[in-house]
Amino acid sequence: SIIINYLQLVFDLLLGYLIVDIVKNSDPIKVKSIINFFANSLLFLALISTLDYYYFGNIVNSILTKITLWGNSGEFIPRLSLTFSNPNWGSFTIFFFLVLSYIFKSSQSLKIKLFFLIFFLQSKSAILISVLFIAINSSTQLYKKIIFSVFFIPMILITLPSLISIEETASYFNRLIMFQEVIDQTELYPQGLMGDNDIRQLITKTGEDTLPSLLTLIYGFGWVFFMMLFSLFLLNVMKSKISFSIFISLVLFSLVYSFLTVGIVSAIGIAMMIL
């Protein structure tokens, strides 16, 4: 199973380069048009889902739940799982489009629509990281960005728990247990990627079945190679504000998301690392 995981990462790495190659060689106007169509389509579905949630007895949402096998309900607004199945991967995908919208200098309206979709998917981590990403890339002065982050992020932290059921916050506690379990076993040298059985044995105390990406890198590469890789990336991303903001966002995502071990999501994460 370890060999299979390595092969999967090789395919994901190749796919990540393919995504970047397609993006870089595409007409910027066409890319922005596709992202805008994507955002408008999901916003339309979000509107239908919300109206159904409040006025039509969740008829549409129940159908979507059966299709995606993920509950399309919520306490304030329905959590927009839709075709993504897991809303976290939906948030991560839309964040990728948000990154592209900044790289291609899209309109403010498109950026707002993408952020609204991330909020609608109700992934707390993605919402906070998106706020930080937007703040770093804003045209305002640095001190204004800091003030924005200091006041806006706590406001979200206070507001979100009342909008999202307390069970959803269990992922934070689960991840904390994972870090405690895995870091203690991490050595200076590479130990290879964990097989599925090893992961399941390590995290039997939680209801999760994948490791955060940061743990995948640290355990798989060992501390020495991981710090060398981290330092190399850090030196490269200091060249531009957008590169630095993508790097910081991916580091934060890697604390709670398992984007390096989940199918196409891995390729999207790798594509952002390459960008």
Side-chain angles (χ1 to χ4, degrees):
S1 60
I2 292 177
I3 293 174
I4 292 173
N5 286 339
Y6 271 116
L7 288 174
Q8 183 64 52
L9 275 181
V10 170
F11 285 122
D12 293 338
L13 185 63
L14 292 173
L15 185 55
Y17 272 101
L18 177 62
I19 292 172
V20 171
D21 190 57
I22 291 173
V23 168
K24 286 188 173 181
N25 289 285
S26 297
D27 180 7
I29 296 176
K30 187 67 174 178
V31 173
K32 288 185 283 188
S33 175
I34 291 172
I35 296 175
N36 191 56
F37 175 79
F38 169 85
N40 290 338
S41 299
L42 274 191
L43 283 173
F44 176 72
L45 287 172
L47 177 62
I48 293 176
S49 183
T50 302
L51 291 174
D52 181 55
Y53 177 76
Y54 280 107
Y55 301 110
F56 303 111
N58 275 326
I59 298 174
V60 175
N61 287 327
S62 62
I63 295 174
L64 291 172
T65 298
K66 290 179 181 178
I67 293 173
T68 63
L69 300 180
W70 193 278
N72 216 46
S73 59
E75 294 182 1
F76 174 64
I77 54 176
R79 195 176 191 189
L80 193 63
S81 56
L82 296 173
T83 56
F84 288 111
S85 185
N86 188 329
N88 288 339
W89 305 137
S91 300
F92 193 64
T93 303
I94 295 173
F95 180 78
F96 175 54
F97 289 134
L98 182 65
V99 168
L100 292 181
S101 72
Y102 275 86
I103 290 176
F104 286 106
K105 297 179 173 58
S106 302
S107 64
Q108 283 297 114
S109 62
L110 178 56
K111 296 171 184 175
I112 291 171
K113 284 188 285 189
L114 291 169
F115 176 73
F116 180 76
L117 283 172
I118 292 173
F119 186 84
F120 216 98
L121 285 159
Q122 299 184 32
S123 171
K124 299 174 290 298
S125 304
I127 293 171
L128 295 175
I129 294 170
S130 298
V131 169
L132 181 61
F133 177 82
I134 292 171
I136 294 175
N137 288 287
S138 67
S139 58
T140 55
Q141 295 177 338
L142 179 61
Y143 76 92
K144 291 182 180 180
K145 297 178 184 179
I146 295 173
I147 293 174
F148 173 79
S149 301
V150 167
F151 283 96
F152 194 76
I153 291 178
M155 184 178 71
I156 292 178
L157 287 171
I158 294 171
T159 306
L160 277 180
S162 63
L163 302 182
I164 306 173
S165 60
I166 192 64
E167 289 80 6
E168 297 294 339
T169 62
S171 60
Y172 287 104
F173 302 109
N174 293 343
R175 296 294 187 270
L176 181 60
I177 294 173
M178 289 183 199
F179 273 88
Q180 293 171 339
E181 293 281 334
V182 176
I183 291 297
D184 289 343
Q185 301 186 44
T186 303
E187 303 290 347
L188 293 176
Y189 50 84
Q191 297 192 83
L193 295 178
M194 290 183 177
D196 292 338
N197 291 334
D198 296 323
I199 292 176
R200 288 192 173 90
Q201 289 175 10
L202 274 172
I203 58 178
T204 50
K205 297 178 182 178
T206 74
E208 307 294 333
D209 60 356
T210 53
L211 283 178
S213 295
L214 193 64
L215 288 180
T216 301
L217 288 172
I218 293 175
Y219 186 90
F221 290 163
W223 282 111
V224 174
F225 286 118
F226 170 76
M227 291 308 299
M228 290 173 61
L229 180 69
F230 186 88
S231 301
L232 177 63
F233 266 96
L234 189 58
L235 288 173
N236 284 327
V237 301
M238 298 301 289
K239 298 174 183 177
S240 69
K241 183 169 62 174
I242 184 69
S243 296
F244 179 72
S245 63
I246 295 172
F247 175 75
I248 292 298
S249 299
L250 285 175
V251 170
L252 293 175
F253 268 119
S254 71
L255 292 173
V256 289
Y257 276 21
S258 310
F259 65 81
L260 287 182
T261 54
V262 183
I264 183 64
V265 179
S266 179
I268 292 173
I270 290 171
M272 279 193 274
M273 290 171 67
I274 298 170
L275 285 171

